[in-house]
Amino acid sequence: MDFSAEHLLGIEHLSVPDINSILDLADQYVDLNRQSAKRSDALAGKTQINMFFENSTRTLSSFEIAGKRMGADVINMALGASSIKKGETLIDTAMTLNAMNPDLLVVRHPESGAVDLLAQKVKCAVLNAGDGRHEHPTQALLDALTIRRSKGRLHRLNVAICGDIAHSRVARSNIFLLNKMESRIRLVAPKTLLPAGIDLFGVEIYEDMDEGLKDVDVVMMLRLQRERMDGAFIPSEREYYHRWGLNAAKLANAKPDAIVMHPGPMNRGVEIDGDIADDIGRSVIQEQVEMGVAVRMAAMDLLANHRRKKPSGVMV
Amino acid sequence: MNILFSNARLIDPEARTDTIGALLVADGAIKQVFSDREPKGKFDQVVDCEGKCLAPGILDIGVKICEPGERHKESFASAGRAAAAGGVTTMVIRPDTVPSVDTPESLEFIKRRASAASIVRVLPMASLTRGRAGREMAEIGFLQDAGAVAFTDCDHVVTDIKIFSRCLTYANSLNALVITHAQEPQLSAGASATSGALATKLGLPAVSPMAERIQLDRDAALIEMTGARVHIDQLSTKAGLDVLSQAKAKGLRITAGASIHHLTLNEIDIEGYPTFFKVKPPLRHETDRVALADAVASGLIDIISSMHTPQDEESKRVPFDSAASGAVALETLLPAALQLVHGEYMDLPTLWAALSLNPANLFGLDSGRLTVDAPADLVLFDPDKPFILDRTTLKSKSKNTPFDGRRMQGQVMQTYVGGELVFER
């Protein structure tokens, strides 16, 4: 198995062959995960530390299950407030953990670039589990795997990403990945939720959702944070739902076999109608969660066992 | 005691000349300038300049010295040594210390520390409002009597327009100079980058360059209303320059500066989140940088400053968004500014107008020029000497320079303050 990356910090600097390596291996792990004995020893004897500086249930448990199914010793560190209260800096925390010789560090942090900074200070492979508004590479990879398994390909698909693009690391990673895989990307959102210069990212921009969803193969909805609903970025929840919430009428613009995705957790009745989210004919939201475990297993397997090592003698 | 500087390339920002000649210094002042011939006679000391540049020492407006409050970042002694090594002979220092300098008593403390510890001249500025909080005027009159050369809340903007207009009116009645910061504070709150594709890609909170123009529009209207004399500490965008140009054309008493970092770096430098490149306002687009350099060449921008802002390692060894803003620049100001000459934006006398003459004129000083009876504050430098900057060699206590490892061209050989040698390489 070929893999040229040293860490998984983002999609931006990940090569297409590496993306394919992860997705191909993840397909195998999907099969494993569907057996009753879900056990591999790919990470036997390895230590995986999950450092989450931001609350997370879904991503943290996904990484934990992924590690455990491959036989890794998994340690979860919820660092939300404790270490910051003690005044320890991110770099000190990283160097302390580095001294314990882990093989994989999975890091989520509220600040953009924090995981890159940490990766410069440790010897082991680092996986970005989401940093600020920057990147969330495993989410984009699991989305890609979900699309590829449903549509049979990633190239030449019309994908609409809808909602709060401005504050979304999921959107950024997905834009990088889908562009690399030669999909056609549309962004659908009010201008207050579109970041400056996003038109230079190889995307088409739509403010009208009916137009934006016309003939798309994939509808990817994004979560709108509660604190952004009341007057700051949009006038109200109900107006947002009316214009940009996904319901059956708007979805009717998409191709008849279009799939509906959401990274979760969902706000039913805000960005997505509950019936659509639960429609097993359209929604692949549960499958995304399943693919998440497989993609994380694949990424950790590749980084732990096939990682490109730094030239000897070079230590950061 | 007299000193003859012979065989010098004299950079005269007032006459805008760059000629080979000699300069005689006696009793701490310039005694005579020989532009065409080498003088005969006997001198106590002769400095052979070997054809290198002799220019007035730099007057640097907006230097932060971290006394009182954060002396571990920078002291008068360390800043003075750094200034001397950078050819800066006068530091005009900021009041944004902890606590801020807003009483005659605290100004006395500054002056005493400066004269005891700094090997270059120090001119203190004072806060415009108490605690730089933008609510009550500081004692501008008393502070002026105590030696404050200008009044500024530094990067704090007085948001209450009524209070600010009264500050300007009162300052004007004492003919005090007010220095303001042109960044609309609400729009720029929390921003650590300039908005655009790069900031979006990096996921950094960002501000539109228009925040500068919005604030400058307000300030220009208030300058027109009050007639006050105002200097804008640092402009960084084309949109801001347009407003400045209109205000100057109207005849308002407005001048403006630019920081060396906005003149020589652009937003692309923050790719990869290097915190030493986090400055306030954030680095701009290359088109803004070029417009700014052109504005120095045309004289629209009056002054180049280092905006020397020491930060300790701990406040920079964190993620970009949490990192403190600012960079040290006393020692790198001159070689970085020479990029503008090597890049053919302007000639040396024009550059020196922005580094020494215009700041001296802003404060009504007789330094900053190569004329008879001016103080012998001089810098001798080789404009072409290449070197690679190593931040560990900086004399500042803080080493937070964005130029670390950069190839630079132009190095200070000697610096004199009042005819006394304060630095020699």
Side-chain angles (χ1 to χ4, degrees), chain B residues 81-263:
Chain B
R81 286 192 297 271
V88 174
T89 51
T90 303
M91 298 188 285
V92 182
I93 64 171
R94 285 177 5 214
D96 55 343
T97 43
V98 187
S100 61
V101 180
D102 56 5
T103 61
E105 292 77 11
S106 52
L107 197 76
E108 286 297 339
F109 166 81
I110 297 288
K111 282 165 60 185
R112 201 167 59 244
R113 285 288 305 138
S115 68
S118 172
I119 55 173
V120 305
R121 297 181 203 273
V122 173
L123 296 174
M125 300 191 282
S127 304
L128 181 65
T129 66
R130 286 195 186 129
R132 300 195 297 133
R135 286 192 289 274
E136 307 142 299
M137 257 182 244
E139 291 173 315
I140 296 174
F142 277 149
L143 285 159
Q144 207 176 18
D145 293 345
V149 297
F151 297 85
T152 180
D153 283 353
C154 303
D155 62 340
H156 289 188
V157 168
V158 183
T159 48
D160 187 316
I161 199 160
K162 202 166 236 173
I163 291 170
F164 188 55
S165 70
R166 287 195 192 121
C167 288
L168 289 181
T169 305
Y170 189 80
N172 190 30
S173 65
L174 305 182
N175 198 28
L177 176 69
V178 174
I179 300 186
T180 67
H181 185 68
Q183 287 301 315
E184 206 294 313
Q186 284 177 316
L187 200 57
S188 53
S192 55
T194 301
S195 65
L198 184 74
T200 291
K201 190 185 83 172
L202 296 173
L204 291 174
V207 60
S208 164
M210 209 51 88
E212 180 171 291
R213 188 195 125 180
I214 293 169
Q215 196 61 42
L216 191 56
D217 269 331
R218 182 199 82 162
D219 289 357
L222 288 171
I223 295 166
E224 188 174 345
M225 184 173 111
T226 59
R229 194 159 65 93
V230 174
H231 176 71
I232 313 297
D233 63 351
Q234 42 174 342
L235 286 185
S236 57
T237 66
K238 171 124 192 7
L241 292 172
D242 292 341
V243 181
L244 176 68
S245 169
Q246 289 156 22
K248 283 191 165 183
K250 265 190 182 162
L252 304 187
R253 298 205 293 166
I254 186 172
T255 51
S259 93
I260 190 62
H261 299 117
H262 292 98
L263 283 165

Side-chain angles (χ1 to χ4, degrees), chain B residues 10 19 63 67 88 108 125 178 190 195 201 209 234 250-251 255 260 282 286 290 333 350 416 419 423 425:
Chain B
L10 299 173
T19 50
V63 174
E67 286 189 59
V88 174
E108 286 297 339
M125 300 191 282
V178 174
S195 65
K201 190 185 83 172
Q234 42 174 342
K250 265 190 182 162
T255 51
I260 190 62
E286 175 67 3
V290 171
L333 173 58
T350 305
Y416 293 81
F423 173 79
R425 190 173 307 274

Side-chain angles (χ1 to χ4, degrees), chain A residues 12 89-92 95 109 111-114 116-117 120-121 131 133-134 172 176 195-198 200-201, chain B residues 194-206 271-273 275 314 316-323:
Chain A
E12 189 195 357
T89 67
L90 176 66
I91 290 175
D92 288 337
M95 287 169 75
H109 197 281
E111 286 189 72
S112 303
D116 296 51
L117 176 67
Q120 292 164 22
K121 306 291 173 186
D131 64 325
R133 302 174 192 176
H134 178 221
R172 284 167 176 75
F176 286 130
I198 194 72
L200 302 174
F201 285 64
Chain B
T194 301
S195 65
L198 184 74
T200 291
K201 190 185 83 172
L202 296 173
L204 291 174
E271 176 111 48
Y273 308 96
T275 56
E314 292 318 311
K316 289 284 191 182
R317 270 164 55 93
V318 292
F320 196 85
D321 209 16
S322 303

Side-chain angles (χ1 to χ4, degrees), chain B residues 387-406:
Chain B
F387 70 102
I388 295 174
L389 187 86
D390 173 0
R391 74 186 186 105
T392 61
T393 64
L394 294 180
K395 293 180 168 43
S396 282
K397 279 193 185 178
S398 296
K399 318 287 186 195
N400 54 307
T401 173
F403 296 116
D404 185 40
R406 188 170 289 233

Side-chain angles (χ1 to χ4, degrees), chain A residues 140-160:
Chain A
L141 288 162
L142 75 88
D143 288 342
L145 184 64
T146 308
I147 297 170
R148 198 174 82 167
R149 288 174 71 96
S150 168
K151 298 289 166 197
R153 64 176 201 274
L154 285 168
H155 59 276
R156 293 208 293 158
L157 290 172
N158 283 313
V159 181

